[in-house]
Amino acid sequence: MNYSPLESFINHQADTGMQCGNYSIEVPDLKEGEQYRFHFDATACVGCHCCEAACNELQNNPAEVKWRRVGEMEGGEFPHVLQFFNSMSCNHCIEPECLIGCPTNSYVKFENNGIVWHDDDACIGCQYCTWNCPYEVPVMNYDRGIVTKCDMCHDKLAVNETPACVQACPAGAIEIEVVHKEAWIQYDMEKEGVAPHLPDVQITKPTTRYTLPENMPKDGKNGLKPADERLLKPAHAELPLVFMTVLTQVSLGAFLALFLGQVLFSLGFNLPEPTLAMAIMAFIPSAIGLPLSALHLGRPILAMTAMKNWRTSWLSREAIALGAYTGLATLVAGMYFLEIKGFILILVMTMTLLMGLFGIYAQSMIYRVRARPAWNRASTTKRFFGSGYVGFLLIAMMLLISNGKEGAMVLLAVALLSGMAQVLIIYDEVMFYRHLDKEGSLYYQLNRTRILLQEHFGQIKKFRLYSLIVFALSLPLLAILFTASGLIGLAIVTLVVATIGALVSELAGRYLFYRTVVPLGLAGNFFAGNQRG
């Protein structure tokens, strides 16, 4: 009997049990410890991107929002060359970083099937999950103001229907399987859960299984390389976060200066007592900065729900701690206004300072995620605390204005030491990128960060380095000399310029921090659509 090409294809599917092209699927019953997963056969994929198109059509996503993406790699040496495709959606990880980090508990890993599901109604669009996921799976939908992601078409699977990507693949490269989680982690994940240029599986323990070609090029100059390695796009500037982080850090530095001044005065040192104006100036930067962070959210009206997941999310901890710090700093200013002094003032100031210190530490830990190597360094925490020297300059300037020469000299000395520490931290960063380990597993991403710093933002980088020397070291030293010489007017002008210049320098540094980070992600992901420009 002669069959048409379509009939032959349908018969072939039926005979081989292929899932592609079928609207229904026999979903196996899950036993204890098992969950569903994707299997991707790289030997079958032809790079047609039908899976992407089918997913977007079913989910009614705009073109720039892709829940499934196809990465492209190439390698070998002519005539023995290889083009490699990797179709990836959510890996429905056993330890999903998106779930752990989400401040609003918008992620749920279903106990009955292991699928990682996103609760759209709870999402505030903070995009923290897009930083945490080493595969860049969650993607921001700006039309809706929330993050969205693949859910393995769980509603279709529940009624034995085929997920869109599986059904649409003409080569049968994508399938749904069952995996026993413990056995997968212990025996097979390191062998079958890896593909070229993917992040370390130990980060999230992804469940996707890969079938790879036998003639895969070995590592080396002819090994597989991302097809988009020559394309380098700076990350989003995150301007609301640039200002929020720097201003809260400056506020903490100013409050620490206020606290030290109050403690020394209370101990009987011949130094001026801090004033109400100084207390107000200490909390104002934080009071301005915190609301600015809401401008980063897709749904700012729900900003307060960011405090929900304090158990596992550093973002929730930051929101709680810095919110409490700002409130307590305002209370301290009120105590100065009401002239409430003595032990009770020192106690409240101590509580405020401790809350602020934890808040900035939590703030730094938001960025120390394994999916973004340039951020995931101890220097991130040091730099965040280091920005506090601007606050010392601010309070020292106010002391000089109020004729507190002796106190200003003490604070300027501390500010100079703090500024020097920040210079050394930034110098260490420069040396780190100058001497990258070419054999390191994260060299590809870190080197791309280096290229961004040198070639895309070279002028801003130079300004950051030179301005830090001028405004954190040279001008404060000059202000000390002017103050010691009795030239208070010149000292005040010098400090005004130093404070403004140091603030601009820190903002420039933070701008570079956001723009030059390069995530792990999916190699060769030309059409990701989730990297904001």
Side-chain angles (χ1 to χ4, degrees):
M1 181 180 295
N2 294 326
Y3 292 106
S4 68
L6 178 59
E7 290 172 328
S8 297
F9 178 62
I10 293 174
N11 290 336
H12 172 72
Q13 287 179 305
D15 293 339
T16 58
M18 293 174 66
Q19 296 179 8
C20 69
N22 290 313
Y23 289 103
S24 62
I25 178 177
E26 291 188 14
V27 182
D29 293 331
L30 293 174
K31 301 184 178 73
E32 185 176 353
E34 293 182 337
Q35 74 163 72
Y36 295 127
R37 71 168 174 202
F38 285 112
H39 166 229
F40 175 68
D41 186 353
T43 66
C45 180
V46 296
C48 66
H49 296 259
C50 283
C51 51
E52 289 184 359
C55 178
N56 267 29
E57 182 178 359
L58 178 69
Q59 302 298 337
N60 196 30
N61 285 331
E64 68 275 9
V65 176
K66 295 187 182 298
W67 291 6
R68 179 170 284 276
R69 302 145 296 143
V70 177
E72 303 180 18
M73 284 153 276
E74 52 197 14
E77 188 173 21
F78 184 82
H80 305 292
V81 296
L82 172 68
Q83 188 175 27
F84 178 87
F85 299 102
N86 183 5
S87 176
M88 177 183 287
S89 62
C90 180
N91 292 294
H92 300 282
C93 304
I94 295 172
E95 297 178 2
E97 287 287 315
C98 57
L99 184 152
I100 296 170
C102 178
T104 59
N105 288 324
S106 295
Y107 285 90
V108 178
K109 186 170 177 66
F110 291 147
E111 294 183 2
N112 63 327
N113 56 25
I115 291 173
V116 178
W117 176 76
H118 182 261
D119 182 358
D120 292 355
D121 292 337
C123 180
I124 61 175
C126 71
Q127 301 157 70
Y128 187 33
C129 55
T130 68
W131 297 349
N132 274 263
C133 176
Y135 306 98
E136 292 191 290
V137 164
V139 55
M140 184 67 179
N141 186 324
Y142 288 98
D143 292 342
R144 302 177 61 191
I146 61 171
V147 169
T148 59
K149 64 172 285 293
C150 157
D151 58 9
M152 203 184 276
C153 293
H154 74 98
D155 51 340
K156 292 169 66 68
L157 281 180
V159 292
N160 293 323
E161 291 184 1
T162 319
C165 57
V166 175
Q167 198 276 332
C169 179
I174 309 171
E175 294 180 323
I176 299 296
E177 292 183 340
V178 170
V179 58
H180 190 280
K181 290 179 283 189
E182 292 299 325
W184 171 250
I185 293 173
Q186 187 172 356
Y187 301 111
D188 301 320
M189 184 176 69
E190 294 282 357
K191 296 181 295 182
E192 297 182 304
V194 297
H197 293 283
L198 282 187
D200 183 359
V201 292
Q202 294 298 334
I203 298 177
T204 62
K205 297 180 173 55
T207 60
T208 301
R209 181 173 72 91
Y210 289 92
T211 298
L212 304 177
E214 294 182 358
N215 60 333
M216 293 284 288
K218 302 295 183 181
D219 292 338
K221 69 175 183 178
N222 295 322
L224 280 174
K225 297 179 181 179
D228 61 351
E229 70 170 347
R230 297 187 183 276
L231 302 177
L232 185 54
K233 181 180 178 182
H236 193 266
E238 310 290 3
L239 290 179
L241 298 183
V242 168
F243 282 91
M244 186 276 282
T245 54
V246 171
L247 287 175
T248 51
Q249 292 153 23
V250 169
S251 175
L252 179 63
F255 191 87
L256 177 58
L258 184 78
F259 175 78
L260 291 175
Q262 186 63 51
V263 169
L264 291 176
F265 176 81
S266 300
L267 291 175
F269 284 84
N270 186 26
L271 296 172
E273 183 178 13
T275 64
L276 170 61
M278 296 175 196
I280 292 174
M281 194 56 69
F283 83 81
I284 278 181
S286 184
I288 295 173
L290 280 183
L292 285 178
S293 64
L295 299 178
H296 166 75
L297 304 178
R299 301 167 73 186
I301 195 171
L302 299 178
M304 295 299 292
T305 62
M307 301 181 185
K308 286 172 61 175
N309 188 18
W310 56 269
R311 291 180 177 85
T312 64
S313 174
W314 281 108
L315 199 154
S316 289
R317 294 165 184 168
E318 179 218 31
I320 294 170
L322 290 184
Y325 161 77
T326 305
L328 286 170
T330 306
L331 175 61
V332 169
M335 295 177 73
Y336 274 98
F337 177 76
L338 297 173
E339 298 185 355
I340 301 175
K341 306 293 175 64
F343 173 77
I344 185 65
L345 176 62
I346 297 295
L347 177 63
V348 174
M349 292 182 77
T350 302
M351 294 170 55
T352 306
L353 182 62
L354 291 175
M355 193 63 70
L357 289 170
F358 178 75
I360 298 303
Y361 175 74
Q363 188 178 81
S364 74
M365 293 303 294
I366 291 173
Y367 301 94
R368 293 180 63 177
V369 292
R370 289 175 288 181
R372 304 209 164 200
W375 288 353
N376 190 29
R377 305 186 65 240
S379 61
T380 295
T381 301
K382 295 176 183 178
R383 277 187 284 176
F384 277 32
F385 279 109
S387 297
Y389 78 91
V390 183
F392 274 89
L393 293 176
L394 182 64
I395 300 301
M397 178 185 69
M398 296 194 67
L399 271 172
L400 275 183
I401 293 173
S402 61
N403 296 319
K405 174 181 174 181
E406 295 80 5
M409 290 283 283
V410 173
L411 284 185
L412 280 173
V414 177
L416 192 61
L417 291 174
S418 302
M420 187 176 297
Q422 185 75 324
V423 170
L424 292 175
I425 292 167
I426 301 304
Y427 177 76
D428 179 67
E429 281 288 292
V430 172
M431 290 297 101
F432 172 78
Y433 285 106
R434 186 172 295 177
H435 303 289
L436 284 176
D437 179 11
K438 293 185 177 181
E439 303 301 321
S441 61
L442 301 174
Y443 175 75
Y444 179 79
Q445 287 78 22
L446 291 173
N447 185 54
R448 287 167 77 83
T449 292
R450 181 189 63 81
I451 294 171
L452 284 171
L453 283 168
Q454 291 185 351
E455 299 181 8
H456 290 69
F457 300 102
Q459 294 302 316
I460 298 178
K461 178 187 173 185
K462 287 181 181 178
F463 169 79
R464 167 60 169 158
L465 295 174
Y466 296 141
S467 63
L468 193 59
I469 293 172
V470 171
F471 298 120
L473 299 181
S474 301
L475 291 186
L477 181 59
L478 193 59
I480 291 176
L481 294 176
F482 285 148
T483 303
S485 303
L487 303 173
I488 304 302
L490 278 176
I492 292 173
V493 172
T494 302
L495 273 182
V496 169
V497 174
T499 303
I500 295 174
L503 178 61
V504 173
S505 179
E506 291 304 312
L507 291 171
R510 197 57 45 80
Y511 177 80
L512 290 175
F513 176 81
Y514 286 107
R515 296 235 68 183
T516 60
V517 67
V518 176
L520 297 179
L522 174 63
N525 191 11
F526 283 100
F527 310 106
N530 61 342
Q531 290 190 7
R532 298 173 297 149

